Amino acid sequence: MERVLQSIERMLDSAPRAAQSAAIQGIGIGSAGQIDFSTGTVAFAVDTLPGWTGTRIKARTAERFPDLPVIVDNDVNVAAVAEQRIGAASGLRNFICLVLGTGIGGAIVVDGKLVRGTYGGAGELGHVSVDFNGPRCSCGNRGCLELYASGPGIARIAREGSFSFADSRQVIEAWLAGDSQANQVMDIVIRALASGISGFIHTFNPEAVIIGGGVAQAGERFLHSIRQETERRTSAAMWKAVQLEPAAAGNHAGVIGAALQMWHYSVLELRGEGGAG
Ligand SMILES: [Zn+2]
């Protein structure tokens, strides 16, 4: 948290003096974990972020920068905002974002607005089970999507097949080169993903499912395989209405989206121009 505050300080210092008074409207932050949106506190974060659960991000930022309003949201939620304004979901009002990285994050936009749930935890799409008899997940359930299609999930499948890949990147490289062992691993990954995505499509009837994160950088062949398998598992009318597209707002989507959230809530709301989330 101290590092976050220091980096905000550096950004404020490096902004031109004129811009500081004229243009900086507030501080937008996107964080991993389930974020209580009203208090800006981390309701839950997994073990990869030890001690992050319970962190009062908004309160501590507001204490340090009392002159600026602060808004805190989940990192995939803010990335979805960036995709909606400048990325692959431009102009769309119903879409799902899926980020395949060290875990699997999700965001859901319905009627132009982020679905937050009771306290802000909605959109944990990586913890939707695709195998109720599958391995135990840290959330308590079995066979969560995250156990199959995140980077560590792909490495786990390779390990259980006794294949000699060091990590998910090696699996994907070998798969793209036509390796048969990598093919067996990625076959499981793609079926798990398609099963999950089909469930999201049937639940939300979205216009698009936007897929980003490190694993998705496997590129067009990966996306093509997911499209093919998802089509087989999705009713025809639902499939006809939806596009599966790669994320387009890039590595800075979270930062841009956090700033856009601030803009929306502080500037537009104050002017009474509130619109799409
Ligand atoms: Zn889980």
Side-chain angles (χ1 to χ4, degrees), residues 127 137 139 144:
H127 292 286
C137 178
C139 74
C144 287

Side-chain angles (χ1 to χ4, degrees), residues 105-189:
I108 303 158
V109 174
V110 171
D111 291 336
K113 286 193 173 149
L114 278 165
V115 174
R116 297 185 190 283
T118 299
Y119 65 81
E124 290 277 355
L125 302 178
H127 292 286
V128 169
S129 176
V130 292
D131 179 2
F132 62 80
N133 287 321
R136 183 73 75 183
C137 178
S138 62
C139 74
N141 204 349
R142 287 183 179 275
C144 287
L145 181 57
E146 183 166 295
L147 299 174
Y148 300 89
S150 64
I154 296 170
R156 182 190 66 81
I157 297 167
R159 247 190 342 268
E160 288 190 352
S162 302
F163 302 140
S164 54
F165 300 109
D167 55 26
S168 60
R169 204 162 49 177
Q170 277 192 10
V171 174
I172 288 166
E173 273 170 20
W175 177 65
L176 291 172
D179 181 272
S180 70
Q181 291 189 342
N183 215 28
Q184 290 177 51
V185 175
M186 290 307 286
D187 189 49
I188 297 170
V189 173

Side-chain angles (χ1 to χ4, degrees), residues 252-265:
H252 297 298
V255 176
I256 295 165
L260 284 168
Q261 284 280 64
M262 187 70 246
W263 177 257
H264 175 75
Y265 282 96

